Amino acid sequence: MSREWQQTRFKEYLMPDAVYYQSIWAVRDLVRMEERLDELSNNKDLSVNSYSVVMDGGNINTISRPTEDYAVEMVLLEDRISAIRTALDVVPDEYRSFILSNIILQNSGKNFPDKIWKYWKQRFLYGVAHNLKLLV
């Protein structure tokens, strides 16, 4: 696995390294998040037994709220996917496949037709960080 580098000449899109890497890993996780969201969306059987609070000798045992957990997971996935897809909308169509190939498939980009995709990658990752509220 090659190391990721920011394009430092684009000062307006320069991020702290920790934020940059969080953005990279969020994008790399996009396929899994979309598959999980699809799985949750297609799961129409929500007839999971729910549990209530049980008191036993003054101790409160675990509360299970499967429907709430299901809904929260769906909302979190939808928000993260939307944040990444919205940032990708800024990138011109001809560079999107190069950027996703470079980030998700870790393609080096040596065979890409030009180097302008690197500028769009930096701008895209900045947008991802901004949309995920990693930048203040």
Side-chain angles (χ1 to χ4, degrees):
M1 181 164 95
S2 64
R3 184 170 177 333
E4 286 287 341
W5 298 95
Q6 288 190 72
Q7 298 295 311
T8 55
R9 67 180 164 175
F10 307 119
K11 302 290 184 200
E12 64 272 19
Y13 300 113
L14 198 58
M15 299 174 277
D17 284 343
V19 172
Y20 179 77
Y21 289 118
Q22 286 180 62
S23 299
I24 288 282
W25 283 104
V27 174
R28 285 186 180 155
D29 196 31
L30 180 63
V31 174
R32 183 204 60 84
M33 289 188 296
E34 288 175 334
E35 288 172 356
R36 178 66 180 151
L37 183 60
D38 188 47
E39 178 184 310
L40 290 172
S41 297
N42 291 331
N43 183 10
K44 303 297 181 199
D45 182 27
L46 293 176
S47 61
V48 181
N49 294 331
S50 61
Y51 302 96
S52 60
V53 177
V54 178
M55 299 284 292
D56 183 25
N59 295 329
I60 298 177
N61 292 333
T62 305
I63 301 171
S64 176
R65 297 182 178 138
T67 304
E68 181 181 343
D69 295 342
Y70 171 86
V72 168
E73 184 179 3
M74 278 194 68
V75 167
L76 290 174
L77 287 172
E78 288 169 350
D79 285 349
R80 289 181 67 83
I81 291 169
S82 175
I84 294 168
R85 291 290 176 194
T86 301
L88 193 59
D89 287 343
V90 173
V91 177
D93 291 338
E94 62 266 20
Y95 297 111
R96 290 179 187 175
S97 62
F98 299 143
I99 292 169
L100 292 178
S101 173
N102 175 256
I103 296 172
I104 296 173
L105 302 175
Q106 299 175 7
N107 185 339
S108 68
K110 291 178 184 174
N111 298 326
F112 296 167
D114 58 39
K115 297 191 184 286
I116 297 174
W117 68 273
K118 291 181 180 182
Y119 164 77
W120 287 106
K121 175 185 174 185
Q122 184 73 21
R123 190 169 176 181
F124 163 65
L125 290 172
Y126 184 87
V128 169
H130 179 54
N131 293 346
L132 291 175
K133 297 179 180 35
L134 300 175
L135 292 170
V136 181

